[in-house]
Amino acid sequence: MKDAQRDRDRFFVIMCILLALLFVFNLDPLSTLSTIQQIAKNQWGVVSIPETNVIRSLLWGLLLYYTIRYIQRNIYSERLTNYIHTIEENFQLNGDLPICREGGNYLQEYPQVLDLIHYIYTIIFPVLYLCLIIIVFINEFQNGNPPINGIIAALDFILVVFYMVFLYRQKLSAILQRIKSVFHRRAE
């Protein structure tokens, strides 16, 4: 579990850096390319760098890869946590000795700041991520960049939407049930 969380945090940072690079590339492609060339020359002695479209496509591909890895690790952690809670409940229901990993007190006095952090990771960041993907994609499309970038951006977008649906499937189900009940009452 700790490895998954460490990986998730690392993937999150990498995704932020890649998305920022794509965003900066769209704001000022020539300066960004010049900066990348300078860094590549100073750090690794690389004299020639591919053109802007190739670098953008590479950044989109890396962003898709790290988005996939980030989502995989988060889903793994969520499923493992749910599984552990189910085992704890079974132990408590079927045994004389309550066994639980965190103790009831931990959940009763859960700091609100951790809830805020959870919402930042699961709502605010994904929504901002989707907005930035749309902005960067529109700019890419208007500048006539390779269609593969649009395909990768669409896959990224779809992945994040499905990820959010996974995270909030129970809440979405409850909302849909409420909507159905309202329409059902009106139909009667």
Side-chain angles (χ1 to χ4, degrees):
M1 181 82 151
K2 292 286 184 197
D3 289 343
Q5 291 171 338
R6 187 185 67 243
D7 288 347
R8 178 201 61 200
D9 294 346
R10 186 170 46 99
F11 296 148
F12 178 81
V13 169
I14 291 170
M15 286 169 47
C16 289
I17 291 169
L18 290 169
L19 197 54
L21 280 171
L22 279 166
F23 191 73
V24 169
F25 242 117
N26 280 311
L27 293 176
D28 191 0
L30 296 177
S31 293
T32 306
L33 184 62
S34 171
T35 302
I36 289 173
Q37 285 175 330
Q38 198 63 31
I39 290 170
K41 183 179 179 184
N42 293 341
Q43 292 291 325
W44 303 292
V46 176
V47 179
S48 112
I49 282 270
E51 62 184 68
T52 307
N53 287 341
V54 173
I55 292 174
R56 280 185 176 159
S57 295
L58 179 65
L59 289 173
W60 276 110
L62 288 170
L63 183 63
L64 179 62
Y65 171 77
Y66 283 106
T67 300
I68 290 169
R69 297 295 296 140
Y70 175 79
I71 290 171
Q72 284 175 328
R73 290 318 251 174
N74 269 346
I75 289 175
Y76 171 78
S77 294
E78 286 287 325
R79 293 179 75 197
L80 188 59
T81 300
N82 292 339
Y83 177 69
I84 290 170
H85 284 299
T86 302
I87 290 172
E88 290 171 352
E89 287 173 13
N90 286 338
F91 272 126
Q92 289 178 0
L93 292 174
N94 298 328
D96 295 332
L97 179 64
I99 298 174
C100 58
R101 181 174 48 106
E102 298 166 332
N105 191 39
Y106 175 82
L107 294 176
Q108 287 175 350
E109 297 187 26
Y110 194 75
Q112 287 183 333
V113 71
L114 293 178
D115 282 335
L116 176 63
I117 291 168
H118 174 74
Y119 290 126
I120 288 171
Y121 265 108
T122 60
I123 295 175
I124 296 171
F125 174 72
V127 169
L128 285 174
Y129 184 84
L130 292 174
C131 291
L132 284 173
I133 284 178
I134 291 169
I135 291 168
V136 172
F137 170 73
I138 289 170
N139 197 323
E140 292 258 342
F141 182 74
Q142 289 174 343
N143 291 332
N145 289 314
I148 189 71
N149 295 359
I151 293 168
I152 294 171
L155 288 172
D156 246 339
F157 188 89
I158 291 167
L159 276 171
V160 173
V161 168
F162 278 133
Y163 171 64
M164 290 180 74
V165 168
F166 168 79
L167 288 176
Y168 294 100
R169 65 192 175 281
Q170 291 160 340
K171 289 181 182 179
L172 289 172
S173 178
I175 291 169
L176 290 175
Q177 289 293 29
R178 286 185 197 148
I179 292 171
K180 284 180 185 179
S181 69
V182 168
F183 285 113
H184 182 65
R185 282 188 218 140
R186 287 187 181 174
E188 294 174 347

